[in-house]
Short mmCIF file of all heavy atoms in Angstrom, two decimals:
data_model
loop_
_atom_site.label_atom_id
_atom_site.label_comp_id
_atom_site.label_asym_id
_atom_site.label_seq_id
_atom_site.Cartn_x
_atom_site.Cartn_y
_atom_site.Cartn_z
N ILE A 294 3.27 -36.03 85.39
CA ILE A 294 3.49 -37.49 85.25
C ILE A 294 2.94 -37.83 83.86
O ILE A 294 2.06 -37.28 83.32
CB ILE A 294 2.75 -38.29 86.32
CG1 ILE A 294 1.29 -38.09 86.28
CG2 ILE A 294 3.42 -38.05 87.68
CD1 ILE A 294 0.54 -39.05 87.22
N ASP A 295 3.45 -38.94 83.36
CA ASP A 295 3.03 -39.62 82.12
C ASP A 295 2.32 -40.92 82.55
O ASP A 295 2.80 -41.69 83.41
CB ASP A 295 4.15 -39.94 81.11
CG ASP A 295 4.82 -38.66 80.66
OD1 ASP A 295 4.17 -37.69 80.33
OD2 ASP A 295 6.06 -38.56 80.68
N VAL A 296 1.17 -41.22 81.91
CA VAL A 296 0.42 -42.48 82.30
C VAL A 296 0.06 -43.22 80.98
O VAL A 296 -0.41 -42.51 79.95
CB VAL A 296 -0.91 -42.03 83.00
CG1 VAL A 296 -1.67 -43.37 83.46
CG2 VAL A 296 -0.65 -41.27 84.23
N TRP A 297 0.26 -44.52 80.93
CA TRP A 297 -0.05 -45.32 79.84
C TRP A 297 -1.12 -46.25 80.19
O TRP A 297 -0.97 -46.91 81.29
CB TRP A 297 1.21 -46.09 79.26
CG TRP A 297 2.24 -45.21 78.63
CD1 TRP A 297 3.21 -44.65 79.29
CD2 TRP A 297 2.23 -44.76 77.29
NE1 TRP A 297 4.02 -43.85 78.32
CE2 TRP A 297 3.32 -43.95 77.03
CE3 TRP A 297 1.32 -45.04 76.17
CZ2 TRP A 297 3.60 -43.33 75.94
CZ3 TRP A 297 1.77 -44.50 74.93
CH2 TRP A 297 2.81 -43.73 74.84
N LYS A 298 -2.15 -46.33 79.43
CA LYS A 298 -3.31 -47.24 79.79
C LYS A 298 -3.61 -48.20 78.56
O LYS A 298 -3.91 -47.78 77.53
CB LYS A 298 -4.60 -46.31 80.06
CG LYS A 298 -4.29 -45.30 81.03
CD LYS A 298 -5.55 -44.37 81.13
CE LYS A 298 -5.30 -43.28 82.21
NZ LYS A 298 -6.62 -42.49 82.50
N LEU A 299 -3.55 -49.54 78.96
CA LEU A 299 -3.73 -50.43 77.87
C LEU A 299 -4.87 -51.43 78.40
O LEU A 299 -4.83 -52.01 79.40
CB LEU A 299 -2.44 -51.32 77.66
CG LEU A 299 -2.54 -52.56 76.75
CD1 LEU A 299 -2.81 -52.15 75.25
CD2 LEU A 299 -1.31 -53.33 76.78
N GLY A 300 -5.89 -51.49 77.38
CA GLY A 300 -7.06 -52.38 77.88
C GLY A 300 -7.49 -53.27 76.72
O GLY A 300 -7.22 -52.96 75.55
N ALA A 301 -8.12 -54.26 77.02
CA ALA A 301 -8.66 -55.30 76.07
C ALA A 301 -10.07 -55.76 76.45
O ALA A 301 -10.44 -55.74 77.63
CB ALA A 301 -7.75 -56.43 75.87
N GLU A 302 -10.96 -55.96 75.40
CA GLU A 302 -12.33 -56.17 75.64
C GLU A 302 -12.72 -57.41 74.76
O GLU A 302 -12.35 -57.46 73.54
CB GLU A 302 -13.20 -55.08 75.28
CG GLU A 302 -14.64 -55.19 75.45
CD GLU A 302 -15.46 -53.90 75.00
OE1 GLU A 302 -15.65 -53.10 75.95
OE2 GLU A 302 -15.70 -53.79 73.79
N TRP A 303 -13.29 -58.46 75.28
CA TRP A 303 -13.67 -59.64 74.58
C TRP A 303 -15.08 -59.90 74.75
O TRP A 303 -15.60 -60.15 75.86
CB TRP A 303 -12.85 -60.86 75.14
CG TRP A 303 -13.13 -62.13 74.57
CD1 TRP A 303 -13.56 -62.44 73.18
CD2 TRP A 303 -13.17 -63.41 75.23
NE1 TRP A 303 -13.83 -63.74 73.05
CE2 TRP A 303 -13.62 -64.37 74.22
CE3 TRP A 303 -12.93 -63.79 76.42
CZ2 TRP A 303 -13.72 -65.67 74.58
CZ3 TRP A 303 -12.97 -65.23 76.86
CH2 TRP A 303 -13.38 -66.12 75.82
N LYS A 304 -15.92 -59.88 73.65
CA LYS A 304 -17.29 -60.23 73.62
C LYS A 304 -17.49 -61.76 73.52
O LYS A 304 -17.34 -62.28 72.42
CB LYS A 304 -18.04 -59.58 72.50
CG LYS A 304 -18.05 -58.02 72.65
CD LYS A 304 -18.92 -57.40 71.53
CE LYS A 304 -18.97 -55.87 71.80
NZ LYS A 304 -19.77 -55.10 70.68
N THR A 305 -17.65 -62.41 74.52
CA THR A 305 -17.67 -63.78 74.57
C THR A 305 -18.98 -64.39 73.92
O THR A 305 -19.02 -65.47 73.35
CB THR A 305 -17.59 -64.40 75.99
OG1 THR A 305 -18.78 -63.99 76.75
CG2 THR A 305 -16.39 -63.84 76.69
N ASN A 306 -20.05 -63.68 74.05
CA ASN A 306 -21.32 -64.00 73.46
C ASN A 306 -22.14 -62.76 73.40
O ASN A 306 -21.75 -61.67 73.87
CB ASN A 306 -21.91 -65.15 74.14
CG ASN A 306 -22.23 -64.93 75.63
OD1 ASN A 306 -22.75 -63.86 75.91
ND2 ASN A 306 -21.86 -65.88 76.44
N ALA A 307 -23.42 -62.92 73.01
CA ALA A 307 -24.33 -61.74 72.92
C ALA A 307 -24.68 -61.04 74.16
O ALA A 307 -24.99 -59.91 74.26
CB ALA A 307 -25.65 -62.14 72.15
N SER A 308 -24.43 -61.81 75.28
CA SER A 308 -24.82 -61.25 76.61
C SER A 308 -23.56 -60.80 77.40
O SER A 308 -23.69 -59.89 78.17
CB SER A 308 -25.57 -62.26 77.44
OG SER A 308 -26.78 -62.55 76.71
N LEU A 309 -22.38 -61.40 77.26
CA LEU A 309 -21.25 -61.16 78.15
C LEU A 309 -20.08 -60.60 77.53
O LEU A 309 -19.58 -61.20 76.45
CB LEU A 309 -20.99 -62.49 78.87
CG LEU A 309 -19.78 -62.40 79.90
CD1 LEU A 309 -20.14 -61.51 81.03
CD2 LEU A 309 -19.45 -63.79 80.42
N THR A 310 -19.53 -59.60 78.05
CA THR A 310 -18.28 -58.94 77.55
C THR A 310 -17.36 -58.92 78.73
O THR A 310 -17.64 -58.35 79.88
CB THR A 310 -18.57 -57.51 77.08
OG1 THR A 310 -19.43 -57.66 75.94
CG2 THR A 310 -17.22 -56.92 76.58
N LEU A 311 -16.08 -59.23 78.57
CA LEU A 311 -15.10 -59.43 79.54
C LEU A 311 -13.98 -58.30 79.17
O LEU A 311 -13.71 -58.05 78.03
CB LEU A 311 -14.36 -60.73 79.71
CG LEU A 311 -15.31 -61.91 80.09
CD1 LEU A 311 -14.64 -63.13 80.19
CD2 LEU A 311 -16.05 -61.62 81.44
N ARG A 312 -13.27 -57.82 80.24
CA ARG A 312 -12.29 -56.72 80.12
C ARG A 312 -11.06 -57.00 81.02
O ARG A 312 -11.24 -57.57 82.00
CB ARG A 312 -12.84 -55.35 80.40
CG ARG A 312 -13.99 -55.01 79.43
CD ARG A 312 -14.55 -53.59 79.71
NE ARG A 312 -15.70 -53.38 78.89
CZ ARG A 312 -16.91 -53.56 79.21
NH1 ARG A 312 -17.27 -54.08 80.34
NH2 ARG A 312 -17.95 -53.36 78.38
N ALA A 313 -9.97 -56.49 80.59
CA ALA A 313 -8.77 -56.53 81.44
C ALA A 313 -7.83 -55.30 81.02
O ALA A 313 -8.00 -54.76 79.92
CB ALA A 313 -7.94 -57.79 81.26
N GLY A 314 -7.02 -54.83 81.87
CA GLY A 314 -6.22 -53.69 81.55
C GLY A 314 -4.93 -53.57 82.43
O GLY A 314 -4.88 -54.19 83.49
N LEU A 315 -4.03 -52.77 82.00
CA LEU A 315 -2.88 -52.41 82.69
C LEU A 315 -2.56 -50.91 82.53
O LEU A 315 -2.57 -50.41 81.46
CB LEU A 315 -1.57 -53.18 82.16
CG LEU A 315 -0.24 -52.73 82.63
CD1 LEU A 315 -0.08 -53.19 84.17
CD2 LEU A 315 0.87 -53.43 81.84
N ASN A 316 -2.37 -50.27 83.66
CA ASN A 316 -2.18 -48.88 83.81
C ASN A 316 -0.86 -48.58 84.54
O ASN A 316 -0.63 -49.07 85.61
CB ASN A 316 -3.36 -48.20 84.60
CG ASN A 316 -3.23 -46.74 84.86
OD1 ASN A 316 -2.16 -46.23 85.36
ND2 ASN A 316 -4.25 -45.94 84.58
N VAL A 317 0.00 -47.97 83.76
CA VAL A 317 1.43 -47.77 84.33
C VAL A 317 1.66 -46.18 84.20
O VAL A 317 1.66 -45.69 83.16
CB VAL A 317 2.52 -48.47 83.55
CG1 VAL A 317 3.85 -48.25 84.13
CG2 VAL A 317 2.18 -49.94 83.63
N GLY A 318 1.96 -45.64 85.37
CA GLY A 318 2.33 -44.14 85.42
C GLY A 318 3.45 -43.85 86.19
O GLY A 318 3.97 -44.65 86.96
N ASP A 319 3.96 -42.64 86.15
CA ASP A 319 5.08 -42.16 86.88
C ASP A 319 4.61 -41.93 88.35
O ASP A 319 3.43 -41.66 88.64
CB ASP A 319 5.64 -40.92 86.42
CG ASP A 319 6.20 -40.93 84.95
OD1 ASP A 319 6.69 -42.00 84.63
OD2 ASP A 319 6.05 -40.00 84.17
N ASN A 320 5.63 -42.09 89.28
CA ASN A 320 5.35 -41.59 90.64
C ASN A 320 5.69 -40.12 90.78
O ASN A 320 6.75 -39.66 90.49
CB ASN A 320 6.35 -42.41 91.58
CG ASN A 320 6.25 -41.98 93.03
OD1 ASN A 320 5.47 -41.14 93.44
ND2 ASN A 320 7.26 -42.56 93.81
N PRO A 321 4.66 -39.37 91.24
CA PRO A 321 4.82 -37.93 91.23
C PRO A 321 5.70 -37.47 92.44
O PRO A 321 6.19 -36.25 92.44
CB PRO A 321 3.44 -37.31 91.42
CG PRO A 321 2.74 -38.44 92.08
CD PRO A 321 3.26 -39.64 91.66
N ILE A 322 6.05 -38.29 93.40
CA ILE A 322 6.72 -37.86 94.54
C ILE A 322 8.17 -38.27 94.58
O ILE A 322 8.49 -39.41 94.43
CB ILE A 322 5.97 -38.40 95.86
CG1 ILE A 322 4.56 -38.03 95.86
CG2 ILE A 322 6.71 -37.99 97.14
CD1 ILE A 322 3.71 -38.68 96.95
N LYS A 323 9.05 -37.26 94.86
CA LYS A 323 10.47 -37.53 94.94
C LYS A 323 10.86 -37.81 96.32
O LYS A 323 10.23 -37.44 97.36
CB LYS A 323 11.29 -36.28 94.33
CG LYS A 323 10.96 -35.97 92.97
CD LYS A 323 11.66 -34.71 92.42
CE LYS A 323 11.28 -33.45 93.06
NZ LYS A 323 9.90 -32.97 92.73
N SER A 324 12.05 -38.42 96.54
CA SER A 324 12.51 -38.78 97.80
C SER A 324 12.68 -37.50 98.74
O SER A 324 12.38 -37.60 99.95
CB SER A 324 13.93 -39.40 97.69
OG SER A 324 13.88 -40.72 97.08
N ALA A 325 13.11 -36.44 98.13
CA ALA A 325 13.27 -35.23 99.02
C ALA A 325 11.98 -34.74 99.64
O ALA A 325 12.01 -34.05 100.57
CB ALA A 325 13.93 -34.06 98.12
#
Side-chain angles (χ1 to χ4, degrees):
I294 65 171
D295 298 314
V296 184
W297 291 93
K298 306 176 181 184
L299 176 64
E302 178 181 271
W303 175 34
K304 293 185 178 181
T305 64
N306 55 48
S308 299
L309 180 63
T310 299
L311 300 178
R312 300 182 183 90
L315 173 65
N316 176 307
V317 180
D319 297 327
N320 175 6
I322 299 172
K323 301 182 290 290
S324 294

